[in-house]
Structure formats: C-alpha cells, structure tokens
Amino acid sequence: MLVLGIETSCDETAAAVVEDGRRVRADVVASQILVHAQYGGVVPEVASRQHLATIVPVLRRAVADAGLAFADLDAIAVTCGPGLVGALLVGVETAKSLAFALGKPLIGVNHLAGHLAAVFLTDDAVPKFPHLALLVSGGHTALIRVDEPGRTRLLGSTRDDAAGEAFDKVGKLLGLGYPGGVKIDKLAATGDPGAVELPRALPARDDLDFSFSGLKTAVATRLAQTGVPEAQALADFCASFQAAVVDVLVRKSRRALQREGLDTLIVCGGVAANRGLRNALAAASQADGFALFIPPPKRCTDNAAMIAAEGTALFQRGQRAGLDLAVDPGLPLEVGQPLIRD
Ligand code: KG4
Ligand code: ZN
C-alpha cells in the first residue's frame, strides 16, 4: 500500500511516500527556516505564502523520488491540525484537490499522532503496546500513555512553554537566532553542564506536568546581570541550560513509566533530536531496564513520512475523510473520530 503524506502545519512544506506504513519511499522537506529567521520566529502569514509557493514542486518531487506516478498512490494523508490555520489550509486544500482529481481516498491526520507514529518507520523492531510517549516539540511537551494505535491518554503536559519553545526563546536571549534548539544542542556538546546553576521545575512530587517559564526567566535574569557569554562560556551556558531541560524531561518520563507500570518509552517531536536528551534517556533506559525507541533526528522534526505512516494506520482501520475535511488549529491528540468518517 502506497500512501502519500502531506504536512504543512508550521514552517516545513513536506511530502512523502510510505509503503505499507513502514518503508519510506520518498521524503521531501522544504524548510522555511531561513525565511523566518530574519523575523526571529515563525510569521504565520509568511508561512502560508511559502507553503503555497512550494507545495506543488514538493509533491512532484516526492512522487518522482518514489519512482511513481500520482495514479499509483493508494491514498492521500494530510495533517489537518493542530498548527497554524493558514498553513494547514494549504496542505488540506491541496490534498483534497489531489484526492478529487485522482479519485483516491483522503485521510485527515492529527500532527501529534503523526509524531507518535514516526517510530514505526523502520524495518527494525518497533515498540509494543501499551507504551509511554514523551512528545517534545516546539508547540507541545507531553507524556502520553498509548494503549493501542489511536487510543491515547494524556498523563501530563506543560503548564506554560513547550520544551522546544524554551530552547528557541533562550537561543534568542543568547543571540543565537532562530531556531535556537539545534544551535544550543551543537554548542552544548563542547560545554560543561555543571558550569551554571539553573533551576529545575518539578512542581509537585507526583505530578507529571512540566513548566519551563521559570527556567527561561532565570536565564533572562542571569543574562541581564552578566551579559551574554562568549566562546567557551557560551558553550558552558548552553550545556547548563540543556541539562536543566533534559533533567526534568528524563525524571518525569521515569516517574510516568513507574506510575503506569510501563516498560517501553518512545520519544518524538523536534526536541527528540537533541543529543543531550537522547544520551540521558539511553542511560536511564540502561539503568532502569525500559525499552527506548527514538526515531532518527530527521524523523523527530516535522516531516510528511510520519503523516503517511499514521495515515496508513488509520486507512487500514477503515477511516476516511470527506472532501469537506476541515482544519482545526487546536486539535487535541485524543480527537480522531469527528474528523474522520466512512
Ligand atoms: O516537531 P517540530 O519540528 O515542530 C513542531 O511541531 O513544533 O519541533 C520544532 C522544535 C523547535 O522548537 C526546535 O528548536 C526544536 O524542535 N529542536 C530542537 C532540536 N532540533 C529541533 N531542540 C533541541 N535540540 C535539537 N537538536
Ligand atoms: Zn511537529
């Protein structure tokens, strides 16, 4: 089964072809990072216009990379939320037009469910159910119990900033430009994580929620006193900040695994590409004996292969969207049914 995935929820215009929900035949991502970097963050209106300009060439490229013609596809899966409304509309309307013109089934995919599905894009072992998912992206930070595909329960989430947002805001404060996550990750590799003392927000002992705004304020206050560090001191600062975020993510994941009696953790979303987090979780998995699954970095950040993978799973369960498929910028993870009909 060949499913075309389309993803335009934020600042990546992406299309991919996935075979049988596992094998990536083509994976094209046109990033808008350079366009938004000049504004210091994603500008929604600019994102929509960029998607409009890029979506058709990206689609053509994906189908050609897969060695296929559009007529060979079995279904079209598209992100319909959550995300930026104008950005989502470009992908959804394109997918509808394509489905209509080709007479192919259309599937609406939740972007967050897509992130959760990225770990299945492999010929190697895949996680068993039930498992715990740590979703860490630019817009979300959440611990989710996944009982089976499509059946999830939110155990905890951020009360303020998402982990990726904290990386990006601190990156900006440090003068690293947008997006800060990748740059902090790179600098942190040569820094001392113990150099700067920063707070760890662990509100209540048994709680599975996160909070990163206190850490961001602590960074801003400190930088106001000391100025932005340079050279090795900058690397040390990045390593210390990254360690503070990673520490909380790892501790809460361990607590959630224990509390839920689960022995499998999957990690997804852009921040799952972070080397500090990957290393710390690998060490925790060794120490505690839980199975750990993290997709390769390019499948952690936004891509359309994950949308095609989730779309395939929904398609196999008989779910289809009509040509009246709507976008929902605030779509929560648990909602699947109302968007999808026979
Ligand atoms: O999942 P994603 O591509 O888009 C959303 O759905 O939000 O995540 C983007 C976020 C950004 O905040 C970016 O700074 C962060 O993921 N990110 C990273 C790294 N790569 C991307 N954060 C820390 N370390 C990284 N290596
Ligand atoms: Zn995402």
Side-chain angles (χ1 to χ4, degrees), residues 7 9-10 111-112 115 135 137-140 269-270 300-303 306:
E7 155 64 38
S9 68
C10 189
H111 180 81
L112 306 177
H115 273 302
L135 169 64
S137 72
H140 294 84
C300 292
T301 47
D302 288 351
N303 65 87
M306 68 185 197

Side-chain angles (χ1 to χ4, degrees), residues 9 36 109 111 115 165 170 182 196 224 261 280 282 333:
S9 68
H36 297 290
V109 174
H111 180 81
H115 273 302
E165 200 178 351
V170 167
V182 185
V196 184
L333 183 60

